[in-house]
Amino acid sequence: MFTFSLPAKIISGENCIAEHSKELSTLGKKAFIVTGKNSAKINGSLRDIEKALEQEHIPYLLFDQVTSNPTIDLARKAAQIARDQHIDFIIGIGGGSPLDCAKAIAVLATNEVDDHQLFSGPYSQPFLPVAAVPTTAGTGSEVTQYSILSNKHLETKTSIANPGIFPKVAFLDARYTLKLPNHVTIHTAVDALSHAMEGYLSVQATDFSNIFAEKSLALLGECLPLLNEEPTLAIREKLLHASMLAGIVIAHTGTTAVHSIGYSLTYFRDIDHGRANGLLLAEYLHFLNGAYSNKIQAILRTLQLKTIKEFSSLMDQLLGEKEEIALSEITRYSNKAAQAANIQNTLIRPTEQDIANMLKHSLTFIS
Ligand code: NAP
Ligand code: ZN
């Protein structure tokens, strides 16, 4: 038995915001636009949303303070403004950080919850509706029910996972991703890869979620080997679609051990989220290969690769020199990862020692 639900309306294509501005008027009467500090102003996405809102006579306010890996406090600060200004819907524009922050604001604008209850509920009030405009191609946050925030209490990244924060509408226009710096293109594409692979290898995978994972992997298999050069618009569009498809996958399967471990690399070492996952993927495949070689062969075939070694070389080509890691860090991160909620989705639940081994072999170990 399984359920499959895709609540976000996906509108994709060049100029899709202008052509579908009416979608915004179905969400509310006063908008809160949530972005990072710079990129949305430069890549055309903010201008297109502002024009669409003006076209629909919807007043709006801009919050452009979202930093990478946003914190609970930042979401609270923005939610207070949203409340004071009687905002009734949110538009997140950006990479996963502004999109996730937009979703957390949607929760906090209507609910008085402490930092623990923010993640676990219960929530007394419905959340504000959210529209999402991804400008990186990696997190798939525009089609997931997750908002991932840096959590100083637990010293890791923690997810709100609630169907109420699925964006109502996602606008996918690959033109916004044209000027992404090369390292962001690569790290975010590898995040999408990680979602598709982990989703395929999740205990919650179904034949239905695998359809989306396989299509995402096939697109990524075409694009990833080309990413050391500036991608064309056609490649950018494939990456954006691969990311969205992989988002649909994890919305159903959750992420697994790779994300559980990667959170520490981001929280403590400031390694980009997608990069953190990418560094770990080859060792993760080795870890599962004994018992699940048929699934891993299927993933490799779909990526147009033959062996885990070939996969590992592709990751090395994309990610370059690996960061150093010391034994004390390995011990600390393994302990954190073993307690993460999403590790339960892994086909073979790794022990702390298994996680320590993966970390030791994935980064440059310094004793
Ligand atoms: P990000 O932190 O949102 O953005 C990274 C950088 O890219 C920022 O400096 C940003 O600049 C810049 N940028 C964004 N779009 C750009 C564009 N079109 N052109 C040029 N620069 C651009 O990175 P991300 O990897 O997309 O998101 C990572 C976050 O998503 C993490 O917090 C992760 O935990 C979360 N995540 C969420 C889900 C989910 O399902 N909700 C899934 C995976 C990951 P500005 O700051 O100026 O915009
Ligand atoms: Zn991710």
Side-chain angles (χ1 to χ4, degrees):
M1 188 179 78
F2 69 88
T3 60
F4 193 89
S5 156
L6 181 46
K9 180 170 188 173
I10 298 159
I11 303 178
S12 174
E14 202 169 317
N15 221 21
C16 63
I17 293 176
E19 288 180 19
H20 292 267
S21 60
K22 287 218 167 347
E23 293 290 335
L24 296 171
S25 56
T26 66
L27 300 180
K29 295 194 165 13
K30 188 170 182 187
F32 199 42
I33 306 176
V34 176
T35 73
K37 288 207 166 71
N38 301 306
S39 69
K41 299 188 185 85
I42 298 166
N43 63 35
S45 53
L46 176 59
R47 189 186 57 237
D48 286 354
I49 281 290
E50 287 177 332
K51 274 201 213 154
L53 290 169
E54 282 152 21
Q55 165 82 19
E56 299 303 320
H57 308 290
I58 300 172
Y60 59 86
L61 211 75
L62 173 65
F63 181 81
D64 61 359
Q65 301 298 312
V66 182
T67 48
S68 281
N69 307 300
T71 60
I72 302 170
D73 290 348
L74 181 76
R76 283 195 185 284
K77 179 177 157 193
Q80 186 59 50
I81 300 172
R83 264 198 301 271
D84 293 346
Q85 298 294 325
H86 307 291
I87 295 293
D88 62 4
F89 74 105
I90 319 271
I91 304 173
I93 306 176
S97 298
L99 299 191
D100 282 8
C101 197
K103 294 170 177 176
I105 296 166
V107 175
L108 288 164
T110 52
N111 287 276
E112 296 280 352
V113 284
D114 65 23
D115 286 2
H116 174 74
Q117 203 185 344
L118 171 61
F119 297 100
S120 61
Y123 311 101
S124 59
Q125 298 301 319
F127 311 146
L128 297 183
V130 174
V133 184
T135 68
T136 62
T139 71
S141 178
E142 69 277 9
V143 290
T144 73
Q145 72 282 39
Y146 309 125
S147 163
I148 301 162
L149 300 175
S150 295
N151 183 337
K152 66 183 177 205
H153 308 292
L154 300 180
E155 292 188 313
T156 186
K157 303 193 71 174
T158 314
S159 304
I160 307 172
N162 189 292
I165 54 171
F166 268 113
K168 301 282 181 259
V169 56
F171 295 102
L172 272 59
D173 189 332
R175 291 175 310 159
Y176 305 142
T177 66
L178 273 171
K179 295 277 164 53
L180 274 169
N182 190 244
H183 73 281
V184 181
T185 300
I186 290 175
H187 293 169
T188 48
V190 169
D191 191 23
L193 174 70
S194 194
H195 296 162
M197 288 174 66
E198 288 178 71
Y200 196 83
L201 295 168
S202 163
V203 294
Q204 299 199 59
T206 64
D207 286 351
F208 227 79
S209 65
N210 284 346
I211 293 171
F212 291 83
E214 283 160 7
K215 182 63 189 174
S216 178
L217 289 168
L219 289 170
L220 291 164
E222 266 181 67
C223 300
L224 288 172
L226 309 175
L227 293 189
N228 288 118
E229 301 199 353
E230 189 60 36
T232 60
L233 181 59
I235 297 286
R236 293 281 186 196
E237 192 159 68
K238 285 183 183 175
L239 289 170
L240 195 57
H241 287 168
S243 165
M244 173 269 288
L245 292 165
I248 293 171
V249 174
I250 58 166
H252 292 87
T253 64
T255 52
T256 67
V258 174
H259 271 65
S260 316
I261 306 169
Y263 288 156
S264 281
L265 296 176
T266 301
Y267 189 90
F268 293 110
R269 296 285 303 272
D270 207 21
I271 297 176
D272 284 356
H273 170 73
R275 178 180 179 81
N277 297 329
L279 290 167
L280 296 160
L281 277 175
E283 282 305 315
Y284 179 66
L285 293 185
H286 280 303
F287 173 70
L288 293 177
N289 197 34
Y292 293 99
S293 62
N294 53 345
K295 286 184 193 287
I296 287 167
Q297 278 309 315
I299 288 175
L300 293 172
R301 256 196 322 276
T302 314
L303 288 169
Q304 300 178 43
L305 299 170
K306 291 193 184 66
T307 59
I308 298 179
K309 193 161 187 287
E310 268 187 31
F311 177 83
S312 186
S313 304
L314 175 62
M315 288 300 102
D316 288 350
Q317 173 204 320
L318 291 170
L319 301 178
E321 201 178 329
K322 295 173 177 174
E323 289 78 353
E324 294 183 342
I325 191 161
L327 185 58
S328 57
E329 293 171 299
I330 290 179
T331 308
R332 187 177 194 192
Y333 305 169
S334 307
N335 180 268
K336 291 249 171 242
Q339 298 170 48
N342 48 0
I343 205 155
Q344 294 166 24
N345 295 324
T346 315
L347 285 172
I348 303 171
R349 190 168 171 162
T351 62
E352 266 188 62
Q353 187 56 52
D354 293 328
I355 298 168
N357 289 340
M358 276 188 245
L359 276 166
K360 184 174 174 185
H361 295 119
S362 296
L363 286 93
T364 304
F365 178 60
I366 44 163
S367 49

